[in-house]
Amino acid sequence: MAGLTINEAAVTTGWSPRMLRYVESAGLIEPQRSAAGYRLYGPEELQRLRTLRELLEGHGIGLGDVGFALRLRRDTDLRDAVEAWFEAEVTRPADIPDSAWLRWEQEKHQRLLAALSD
Amino acid sequence: MAGLTINEAAVTTGWSPRMLRYVESAGLIEPQRSAAGYRLYGPEELQRLRTLRELLEGHGIGLGDVGFALRLRRDTDLRDAVEAWFEAEVTRPADIPDSAWLRWEQEKHQRLLAALSD
DNA sequence: GCAACCTTGACACGATCGTGATAAGGTTTG
DNA sequence: CAAACCTTATCACGATCGTGTCAAGGTTGC
């Protein structure tokens, strides 16, 4: 067979077989499969499993975090949306000064309160 | 006061006051404070709270995810480490072919098993 | 052909997340 | 000065995460 089976991979990487399946379900490491469906871990997968462990422990992050980072780099829409949110400036007519804008918000608030107390 | 208080901000953004504090604890929106320590939400914070809601709902992600994205863009070490992991190629002496490498791994496995069964 | 592997699926359990509620105390305002 | 706000801290509770374990069944190898 052209690769280690899941138990062998577990021994050489330090992950449990259960976790190897879990890591796979997170889309992080997806080994080849034999004709019968057995997972076959090649050198690259084994190496990445080892460094994944270091990555998580070294920075106190979780599998879900790396999974999200993966989504970020695959889903352009998502990446752009997140990026846009971080960089968002106030997009509001420049001719309304903060003070007026706040006053309007506060009045809206009071209208809401008034409506509630009916 | 130069901004809305937490309950006013809650009404105009749709978040609960509890969640506004939670969002702050995630480092996502940190409003100014009055002298007495009251949170004061300005136009920018209010706008970002509204778009944050859209971001989460529009992409099925969570506050923790955005929090992690924030860590990614602030912590260069982390970003580089994650990036490096995604791009990692096998870093193993090129003169050892896969077949030999795998054989070595499998033998190590057998040595381990032998050691265990002592 | 049988022992030792592999598969998926499910149940379980502690830890953390997302969220509300409540308490004890300080601040603002009419 | 009292009502209505604000603060932090805590308890609670369902949902999800990380992980183990077990069951039912297919595959491999001596």
Side-chain angles (χ1 to χ4, degrees):
Chain A
M1 279 207 283
L4 301 201
T5 63
I6 196 170
N7 270 288
E8 293 167 336
V11 172
T12 60
T13 63
W15 294 93
S16 69
R18 175 67 167 87
M19 286 310 294
L20 289 183
R21 298 197 182 94
Y22 190 71
V23 167
E24 179 176 353
S25 81
L28 266 30
I29 303 274
E30 303 179 331
Q32 298 293 113
R33 296 296 188 112
S34 76
Y38 283 24
R39 290 173 180 80
L40 297 178
Y41 292 86
E44 176 157 1
E45 282 82 25
L46 296 174
Q47 188 62 25
R48 286 168 66 73
L49 282 169
R50 298 197 185 96
T51 57
L52 176 59
R53 169 175 291 292
E54 288 166 21
L55 177 64
L56 298 189
E57 287 170 2
H59 291 84
I61 66 180
L63 281 172
D65 293 327
V66 184
F68 181 67
L70 181 63
R71 263 190 85 182
L72 274 184
R73 62 164 28 216
R74 286 196 182 153
D75 183 342
T76 308
D77 266 15
L78 176 59
R79 180 172 61 245
D80 290 350
V82 170
E83 208 63 21
W85 186 79
F86 280 124
E87 263 148 37
E89 302 297 321
V90 197
T91 59
R92 144 184 59 99
D95 54 4
I96 304 180
D98 275 15
S99 57
W101 191 85
L102 277 172
R103 194 156 354 100
W104 184 83
E105 288 277 4
Q106 273 163 339
E107 281 160 10
K108 182 166 78 171
H109 173 221
Q110 278 156 19
R111 284 196 301 279
L112 269 167
L113 286 186
L116 282 179
S117 63
D118 273 345
Chain B
M1 275 206 287
L4 302 200
T5 63
I6 196 169
N7 269 289
E8 294 167 337
V11 171
T12 61
T13 62
W15 294 93
S16 70
R18 174 70 167 85
M19 285 311 292
L20 289 184
R21 298 196 182 94
Y22 190 72
V23 167
E24 179 176 355
S25 80
L28 266 29
I29 303 273
E30 303 179 331
Q32 298 293 115
R33 297 297 188 109
S34 77
Y38 283 25
R39 290 173 179 79
L40 297 177
Y41 292 86
E44 175 155 5
E45 281 84 22
L46 296 174
Q47 189 61 27
R48 285 168 66 72
L49 282 168
R50 297 197 185 97
T51 56
L52 176 59
R53 169 174 290 293
E54 289 165 22
L55 177 63
L56 298 189
E57 287 170 2
H59 292 82
I61 65 180
L63 282 173
D65 293 327
V66 184
F68 181 66
L70 180 62
R71 266 191 82 183
L72 274 185
R73 61 164 30 215
R74 285 199 181 148
D75 184 342
T76 307
D77 265 16
L78 175 59
R79 180 172 60 243
D80 291 351
V82 170
E83 207 64 20
W85 187 79
F86 280 124
E87 263 148 38
E89 302 296 321
V90 197
T91 59
R92 143 184 62 95
D95 55 3
I96 304 180
D98 275 17
S99 57
W101 190 84
L102 277 172
R103 194 154 355 98
W104 185 83
E105 288 278 3
Q106 275 165 337
E107 281 161 10
K108 180 166 80 172
H109 172 221
Q110 280 158 17
R111 283 197 303 279
L112 269 167
L113 285 185
L116 283 179
S117 61
D118 271 348

